[in-house]
Amino acid sequence: MVEYMAYKKRGRKLKLCYYNGEFKSLEEISIPITDLLVQRGVGVFDTLRTYRKRPHAMSIHLKRLEESSHALGIKLPLDIQQIIGVIRKGIAMMDCEEVQMRIYVSGGDVFEDGQFPHPRFFVIFEPLEKAPRENYERGVALAPIDMDRPFPHIKSVFYLPAYVGRRDDKEALEVLYCPDGEITESSSSSFFMVIDGRIVTAPTEKVLDGVMRQIIIKLAEESGLKVEMRCPLLSEVSTAQEAFITGSIKEILPVRRIGSQHLAQVNGPVSQYLQHLYSAKIEDYLE
Amino acid sequence: MVEYMAYKKRGRKLKLCYYNGEFKSLEEISIPITDLLVQRGVGVFDTLRTYRKRPHAMSIHLKRLEESSHALGIKLPLDIQQIIGVIRKGIAMMDCEEVQMRIYVSGGDVFEDGQFPHPRFFVIFEPLEKAPRENYERGVALAPIDMDRPFPHIKSVFYLPAYVGRRDDKEALEVLYCPDGEITESSSSSFFMVIDGRIVTAPTEKVLDGVMRQIIIKLAEESGLKVEMRCPLLSEVSTAQEAFITGSIKEILPVRRIGSQHLAQVNGPVSQYLQHLYSAKIEDYLE
């Protein structure tokens, strides 16, 4: 706990990072240039947040992190209980209302026999940064791109499309992957569109099995709403009732437009109802 | 030159890195975890080598590095003359016969207005590591995958497919991007297939404009060989005469098989003739 006290003594620091067994101010942490994360983009991560300083859906996030790592040939360098310990300790050290965390596992310096035997592990702790209120009221814009996210089941650090795909639409919050006009997911969120009263979203064969996605689908089905697992089409935007994206930090964020096509309703009854259902169930997922 | 003398004094070190204005042993260099290269895979690079300790096709490589950076919204933090200075100094410091270099430009910590205004820059210098002789004699295996390389004109650090795509074929040297059966390029090389006596290779709209690719096409055309710019098909492998991949380090490397399909000839007359033409012209590209 030496490093914890030293951290506290230096006074309030906004961002914290766990790396190599220590917690330090994020700005103090570097990783070797020899790591394949730096040289070849080999790394996975997962994001989660707190409510009332307690981590939300932590077990589901850590299971997914383990699956992403495994799919890439990386064995988690800490076991799940150790990671939970790091998360709890980091949250306790953060001097802010709510915390968001990103847990990274890198490829390390070595690739042999199809595996990365010496991965590096770090967790970034930051004060929760939710999108501004007006995004929830006015909805957000998405920039459609005609490609899919490579290896959708692996939550990798590959976010080039998220930057390159928005250069012509700076108002867009995220890019929306739409290979051949089929909407799969956006760069940092799951995507849902309400068509003829049904909630349509891509099947998990084609997208990341988003934690918020799982929760929203469960809540929708339990409340009697119809959920259809197929890719919504770009050609259906003009006749859809509403659309929204979901993510662990953003919860449910209404979509105003996709490229040049505007949705009929923003923050319509389905978006609002699901947000209401979600808020009522947050407690169930705190650990 | 202080750091240069310090480096020499410590005796022979195999790998060197230029970063933040200094040359150090590669193992000593780290980059901040806040860099978007670490967190989001935002970075480009280029690879070149020496012959007789002189950099080969350096101007073409640096022009491409500049284009990759620009396409991603990164302005090179050093101008080309400064980079050339770094390369020449690094080569002089390397205590080995020939040198290979990778020049990286990262996204830095900030993305705003579609740009990365504070990129980081580093160059890794290593002793040249060519593939073993037997690869040139027996040819190499490639593992075809049904996807294209995202943003083919940007030489980014995204190499996930190169690892994931070879897990079922550990003998394969590289993956071969074959979206819908059309062969574009392999993970670290340009690809050529000889069909009915013509050299067939994907057009630059679909692949990276490889420096070795440019040189080989020029040499082939000057010598009267026919070059056809279209994607060779996976379905043509069984009737093709030979195939090879090219890259700045590997030069011309014959292909033995693609997935389960074997090429009729390995290191056949076209591969050998082009290697001969290339070797005769190396001098022209030394700077």
Side-chain angles (χ1 to χ4, degrees):
Chain A
M1 292 293 275
V2 173
E3 76 275 16
Y4 175 79
M5 295 313 294
Y7 175 80
K8 281 287 193 194
K9 266 191 199 153
R10 282 200 305 277
R12 179 175 170 153
K13 284 278 194 313
L14 279 182
K15 297 182 179 185
L16 194 63
C17 183
Y18 172 87
Y19 177 57
N20 268 347
E22 287 184 315
F23 288 90
K24 288 187 178 171
S25 171
L26 176 61
E27 297 75 43
E28 294 172 38
I29 311 272
S30 296
I31 75 161
I33 258 174
T34 46
D35 198 296
L36 292 165
L37 174 58
V38 175
Q39 293 192 21
R40 289 288 185 260
V42 180
V44 297
F45 75 107
D46 218 294
T47 303
L48 70 163
R49 63 163 285 180
T50 62
Y51 291 91
R52 301 204 317 282
K53 278 291 190 85
R54 290 164 65 196
H56 185 259
M58 179 166 59
S59 309
I60 312 177
H61 281 286
L62 293 180
K63 185 165 175 287
R64 189 172 64 178
L65 179 72
E66 201 167 24
E67 287 166 357
S68 281
S69 299
H70 180 76
L72 194 46
I74 304 177
K75 194 180 173 304
L76 287 188
L78 275 67
D79 69 33
I80 297 293
Q81 281 312 311
Q82 289 172 315
I83 298 176
I84 290 174
V86 168
I87 289 173
R88 292 205 191 284
K89 190 168 164 186
I91 291 171
M93 289 168 75
M94 287 292 289
D95 199 3
C96 59
E97 206 175 331
E98 299 292 357
V99 182
Q100 63 190 34
M101 291 144 277
R102 269 169 294 150
I103 312 166
Y104 283 84
V105 186
S106 80
D109 297 359
V110 179
F111 178 67
E112 58 187 15
D113 294 328
Q115 305 290 320
F116 300 90
H118 305 299
R120 290 187 174 86
F121 177 87
F122 55 94
V123 187
I124 297 172
F125 298 83
E126 297 170 302
L128 183 75
E129 265 189 65
K130 254 192 108 168
R133 195 66 245 162
E134 69 167 285
N135 281 7
Y136 291 87
E137 289 158 6
R138 295 185 50 232
V140 297
L142 302 175
I145 49 172
D146 184 16
M147 67 179 285
D148 43 21
R149 199 166 67 80
F151 310 109
H153 301 104
I154 300 176
K155 195 169 166 70
S156 80
V157 298
F158 177 62
Y159 277 72
L160 236 48
Y163 297 100
V164 179
R166 282 186 297 157
R167 295 183 76 186
D168 296 329
D169 183 357
K170 294 201 171 60
E171 194 198 40
L173 183 74
E174 298 186 17
V175 299
L176 188 63
Y177 289 103
C178 305
D180 300 320
E182 290 197 334
I183 305 176
T184 55
E185 59 194 322
S186 70
S187 40
S188 308
S189 313
S190 302
F191 178 86
F192 297 81
M193 197 151 77
V194 182
I195 305 169
D196 294 332
R198 298 184 312 281
I199 301 169
V200 183
T201 193
T204 50
E205 292 80 56
K206 300 201 171 185
V207 295
L208 187 75
D209 191 10
V211 174
M212 189 58 65
R213 179 185 178 280
Q214 294 171 34
I215 296 174
I216 293 301
I217 290 173
K218 185 167 177 280
L219 292 174
E221 288 179 337
E222 283 173 2
S223 77
L225 289 167
K226 288 230 163 14
V227 180
E228 202 176 319
M229 303 282 187
R230 64 160 177 97
C231 292
L233 304 175
L234 272 180
S235 59
E236 292 177 302
V237 175
S238 56
T239 52
Q241 284 91 59
E242 46 184 304
F244 53 90
I245 54 176
T246 67
S248 295
I249 312 296
K250 61 177 68 76
E251 301 178 348
I252 297 168
L253 189 53
V255 174
R256 180 172 77 252
R257 71 168 169 84
I258 297 170
S260 58
Q261 299 191 81
H262 285 255
L263 272 299
Q265 270 195 297
V266 174
N267 201 17
V270 177
S271 306
Q272 286 191 32
Y273 183 56
L274 287 171
Q275 179 64 55
H276 164 78
L277 290 178
Y278 175 71
S279 299
K281 292 284 188 181
I282 286 171
E283 187 73 27
D284 295 2
Y285 291 92
L286 300 184
E287 296 178 25
Chain B
M1 293 293 275
V2 174
E3 75 276 16
Y4 175 78
M5 296 313 294
Y7 175 80
K8 281 288 192 194
K9 266 191 200 153
R10 281 200 306 277
R12 179 176 172 152
K13 284 278 195 313
L14 279 181
K15 297 182 178 186
L16 194 63
C17 182
Y18 172 88
Y19 177 56
N20 269 347
E22 288 183 315
F23 289 90
K24 288 187 178 170
S25 170
L26 176 61
E27 298 74 43
E28 294 172 37
I29 311 273
S30 296
I31 74 160
I33 258 172
T34 46
D35 198 297
L36 292 166
L37 174 59
V38 175
Q39 294 192 19
R40 289 288 184 261
V42 179
V44 297
F45 76 107
D46 219 293
T47 302
L48 70 163
R49 63 163 286 179
T50 62
Y51 290 92
R52 301 202 320 279
K53 279 292 192 82
R54 290 164 64 197
H56 185 259
M58 178 166 59
S59 309
I60 311 177
H61 281 286
L62 293 180
K63 184 165 175 286
R64 189 173 64 178
L65 179 71
E66 200 168 25
E67 287 166 357
S68 282
S69 299
H70 180 76
L72 194 46
I74 303 177
K75 193 179 174 304
L76 286 187
L78 274 70
D79 69 33
I80 296 293
Q81 282 312 311
Q82 289 172 314
I83 298 176
I84 290 174
V86 168
I87 290 172
R88 291 205 191 284
K89 190 168 164 188
I91 292 170
M93 291 169 74
M94 288 293 287
D95 198 3
C96 59
E97 206 175 330
E98 299 292 358
V99 182
Q100 64 190 36
M101 291 144 276
R102 271 168 293 150
I103 312 166
Y104 283 85
V105 186
S106 80
D109 297 358
V110 180
F111 177 66
E112 59 186 16
D113 294 328
Q115 305 291 320
F116 300 92
H118 305 298
R120 290 188 173 85
F121 176 88
F122 54 95
V123 187
I124 297 172
F125 298 82
E126 296 170 302
L128 183 76
E129 265 189 66
K130 252 192 110 169
R133 195 66 245 162
E134 69 168 283
N135 281 7
Y136 291 86
E137 288 157 6
R138 296 184 51 233
V140 297
L142 303 175
I145 49 172
D146 184 16
M147 65 178 286
D148 44 21
R149 199 167 66 81
F151 309 110
H153 300 105
I154 300 177
K155 196 170 166 69
S156 80
V157 297
F158 177 62
Y159 277 72
L160 235 48
Y163 297 99
V164 179
R166 283 186 298 157
R167 295 185 75 187
D168 296 329
D169 184 357
K170 295 202 169 59
E171 195 199 38
L173 183 74
E174 298 186 15
V175 298
L176 187 62
Y177 289 103
C178 306
D180 301 319
E182 290 197 334
I183 305 176
T184 54
E185 59 194 319
S186 71
S187 39
S188 308
S189 314
S190 302
F191 177 86
F192 298 81
M193 197 151 77
V194 183
I195 305 170
D196 293 333
R198 299 183 311 280
I199 300 169
V200 183
T201 194
T204 49
E205 292 81 55
K206 300 199 171 186
V207 294
L208 187 75
D209 192 10
V211 173
M212 190 59 64
R213 179 185 179 281
Q214 294 171 34
I215 295 174
I216 293 301
I217 290 172
K218 184 166 177 283
L219 292 173
E221 288 179 337
E222 283 173 2
S223 76
L225 289 167
K226 287 229 160 21
V227 180
E228 201 176 317
M229 303 282 189
R230 65 160 176 97
C231 291
L233 304 175
L234 271 181
S235 58
E236 292 176 303
V237 175
S238 56
T239 52
Q241 284 91 59
E242 46 184 304
F244 53 89
I245 53 177
T246 66
S248 296
I249 311 296
K250 62 177 66 77
E251 302 179 348
I252 298 168
L253 189 53
V255 174
R256 180 173 76 252
R257 71 168 170 85
I258 297 170
S260 58
Q261 300 190 82
H262 285 255
L263 272 298
Q265 270 195 298
V266 174
N267 200 17
V270 177
S271 306
Q272 286 191 33
Y273 182 55
L274 287 171
Q275 179 64 54
H276 165 77
L277 290 179
Y278 175 71
S279 298
K281 291 286 187 180
I282 285 172
E283 186 73 28
D284 294 2
Y285 291 93
L286 300 184
E287 295 177 27

